[in-house]
Amino acid sequence: MSDMSQGLLQRRRDSADPDWRNYAACLSVDPDLFFPLGTSGASLLQIDEAKQICRTCPVCGPCLRWALESGDAGVWGGTTEDERRKHRRRARQVTRRSEFRPIS
């Protein structure tokens, strides 16, 4: 396991912890799967495999929200870094447009 994936997916082991990560479909999967080394070639297969696990996850929504707020590397909430970057950009554009609408 890489240092990056180990650090980013480190979880508290307290069973009383209400953290959404305790319910993640990826909990028992090798974390390296979610941290591909690139965005082409064999990495595309790895990304697709990670996203397939995310599609079965009961906490995909909270995971995605966390990733959008934190900006971490890897596949989180069924999205890649590039997909989250585009999502943030669109959200900023929508916010800007709504801020400059004339008040009726």
Side-chain angles (χ1 to χ4, degrees):
M1 182 182 320
S2 71
D3 290 339
M4 175 188 257
S5 60
Q6 188 173 31
L8 290 172
L9 289 179
Q10 195 169 43
R11 295 174 184 84
R12 291 182 283 174
R13 298 295 182 197
D14 180 5
S15 61
D17 181 14
D19 192 336
W20 57 265
R21 292 176 291 182
N22 292 326
Y23 306 99
C26 62
L27 194 59
S28 61
V29 177
D30 181 355
D32 285 338
L33 175 66
F34 297 88
F35 298 93
L37 297 177
T39 57
S40 62
S43 292
L44 291 175
L45 297 172
Q46 183 177 346
I47 290 167
D48 187 53
E49 188 177 342
K51 285 181 170 187
Q52 286 178 26
I53 293 169
C54 293
R55 285 191 283 275
T56 69
C57 187
V59 292
C60 190
C63 180
L64 177 57
R65 283 190 293 278
W66 180 85
L68 287 168
E69 292 171 7
S70 69
D72 274 328
V75 175
W76 294 87
T79 63
T80 63
E81 296 169 66
D82 289 340
E83 291 166 338
R84 290 191 302 276
R85 193 174 301 113
K86 289 175 187 174
H87 183 276
R88 284 188 211 99
R89 191 176 309 125
R90 283 191 304 265
R92 282 192 301 269
Q93 289 170 346
V94 167
T95 300
R96 283 186 204 126
R97 281 188 223 129
S98 66
E99 288 174 351
F100 296 109
R101 281 194 181 148
I103 300 174
S104 307

